[in-house]
Amino acid sequence: MSRLQVQGVLESVLDWRYEPAHGSLRALYERAKSAQWSAEDDIDWSIEVPFGEPLPDTSWFSVAAFAASPLAHGGKPLWDTFQWELQSWMVSQFLHGEQGALVVAGRLAATLPDLESKYCAASQAVDEARHAEVFSRYLREHVPEPYPIASSLETLLTDILSDTRWDITALGMQILVEALAMAAFRLADRTFHDALIRMIVRLVARDEARHVSFGVLSLEGIYSELTTAERADREDVVLEGAALMRRRFLLEDVWERLGIDTSAGVEFAATNELMVAYRQAIFARVVTSLGRIGLMTPKVHEGLSKLDLLGYSSARAAAAGLGARS
């Protein structure tokens, strides 16, 4: 199917109070206005992308991972192919996620209860449109066969967009999807293989940092006021979303395209030290954000631990989040 249609009931809120009330949100909005960049003028689209060409030798850690993988039989050429396909898959998922974030930002602009939050959501919608523009152009011009949306990401976007509660929409997109993407962008210099995509994600990462901050500012203080049952519902949203995102990074689509037995590839991705460390590194930002909004609860901590998403840095962030509530 070439499109996703999600049915939902959208409540629109207009706020007639125009006096500034949220200094942090106003400052974030001013930063958003001054940090705009052009997809056409601020990116050097003439940079060559040698997609599929042999890659330089990697670290011993990466070499050891390759030797233990179902790719080992193909030698370095297959390892290089895997790394290019992994980049193609990640950029494709970035694109699909950015379109989802564009729709979510528009929804938040309608449903958020105060005007300054609406300003931030509207500025985010502009950012997300630009992100979709640059990722789609990169894929069209430089990647022979981009990937469709991963089923787990499609499920999460459906869940986010079908929920009528604005805080669930913000929690799913701003805290889970956006924070995860921002962390992946920050690792791009070490994980991506051409200068053009690294230039693109550096610019996108600046915007995403504001979006995550917006999500945190919007949700701070909300969850401490909920009933136990309401809070438990949000904890379930976090754990279900985290499970979907973990499943996404088991790379079923990549293994299938490379002709690797899917079960063997998924087992490797689920258990290999390098793959686990990468997931823990990018989830650390999610954990930090959950701590700031008061949702890094013992239940969430235990659930993320069972998913093997809490590494050393994540554990420190989790401890800080738990400590902040005591």
Side-chain angles (χ1 to χ4, degrees), residues 31 35 37 43 94 98 127-128 130-131 134-135 178-189 192 197-213 285:
R31 281 168 49 198
W37 50 274
I43 294 173
F94 290 158
E98 297 294 349
D127 291 341
E128 306 297 7
R130 185 172 57 248
H131 300 170
V134 294
F135 285 134
E178 295 273 48
L180 204 62
M182 186 185 75
F185 295 150
R186 292 282 167 83
L187 292 175
D189 279 338
F192 287 167
I197 192 61
R198 290 195 293 265
M199 175 185 290
I200 290 170
V201 296
R202 278 195 292 269
L203 287 170
V204 172
R206 288 187 345 209
D207 297 339
E208 297 294 359
R210 292 195 309 274
H211 303 167
V212 175
S213 295
R285 189 65 181 85

Side-chain angles (χ1 to χ4, degrees), residues 95-130:
L95 171 58
H96 303 315
E98 297 294 349
Q99 185 181 172
L102 169 59
V103 174
V104 165
R107 175 166 295 191
L108 289 175
T111 60
L112 282 165
D114 63 272
L115 196 58
E116 283 161 312
S117 294
K118 294 178 186 295
Y119 293 161
C120 290
S123 69
Q124 180 176 339
V126 173
D127 291 341
E128 306 297 7
R130 185 172 57 248

Side-chain angles (χ1 to χ4, degrees), residues 203-325:
L203 287 170
V204 172
R206 288 187 345 209
D207 297 339
E208 297 294 359
R210 292 195 309 274
H211 303 167
V212 175
S213 295
F214 171 41
V216 168
L217 289 171
S218 298
L219 295 170
E220 274 183 329
I222 295 288
Y223 297 123
S224 62
E225 300 175 357
L226 298 183
T227 65
T228 300
E230 289 171 332
R231 189 181 182 87
D233 189 27
R234 274 66 175 181
E235 291 171 329
D236 290 339
V237 167
V238 169
L239 293 178
E240 290 166 7
L244 287 168
M245 292 298 92
R246 177 187 179 275
R247 176 185 157 198
R248 180 162 67 116
F249 281 95
L250 298 184
L251 309 178
E252 295 174 64
D253 298 336
V254 177
W255 305 124
E256 182 177 346
R257 178 171 294 183
L258 293 175
I260 301 297
D261 178 74
T262 303
S263 59
V266 166
E267 175 65 18
F268 168 73
T271 59
N272 175 260
E273 185 179 1
L274 179 62
M275 305 291 276
V276 172
Y278 179 79
R279 288 194 297 274
Q280 291 175 346
I282 60 176
F283 265 89
R285 189 65 181 85
V286 176
V287 169
T288 300
S289 299
L290 289 171
R292 288 187 60 188
I293 64 174
L295 270 187
M296 196 59 211
T297 64
K299 176 181 175 179
V300 170
H301 185 277
E302 181 182 5
L304 294 179
S305 180
K306 288 180 179 178
L307 291 169
D308 208 7
L309 296 175
L310 296 180
Y312 174 70
S313 59
S314 299
R316 292 178 61 189
L322 286 167
R325 297 185 61 245

Side-chain angles (χ1 to χ4, degrees), residues 150-184:
S151 60
S152 53
L153 178 58
E154 184 174 44
T155 298
L156 181 57
L157 290 179
T158 301
D159 291 344
I160 291 171
L161 290 170
S162 61
D163 203 295
T164 60
R165 297 163 292 183
W166 75 261
D167 77 286
I168 298 290
T169 303
L171 177 62
M173 180 55 70
Q174 312 289 81
I175 304 301
L176 291 178
V177 178
E178 295 273 48
L180 204 62
M182 186 185 75

Side-chain angles (χ1 to χ4, degrees), residues 37 43-45 47-51 83-84 86-92 94-95 131 133-139 142-143 184-205:
W37 50 274
I43 294 173
D44 183 0
W45 291 102
I47 295 174
E48 182 182 357
V49 178
F51 190 91
Q83 292 182 86
W84 279 114
L86 179 59
Q87 176 172 309
S88 170
W89 176 85
M90 289 188 69
V91 177
S92 297
F94 290 158
L95 171 58
H131 300 170
E133 177 187 357
V134 294
F135 285 134
S136 63
R137 178 172 176 178
Y138 175 85
L139 289 167
H142 300 291
V143 176
F185 295 150
R186 292 282 167 83
L187 292 175
D189 279 338
R190 284 176 281 172
T191 54
F192 287 167
H193 312 301
D194 66 87
L196 178 57
I197 192 61
R198 290 195 293 265
M199 175 185 290
I200 290 170
V201 296
R202 278 195 292 269
L203 287 170
V204 172

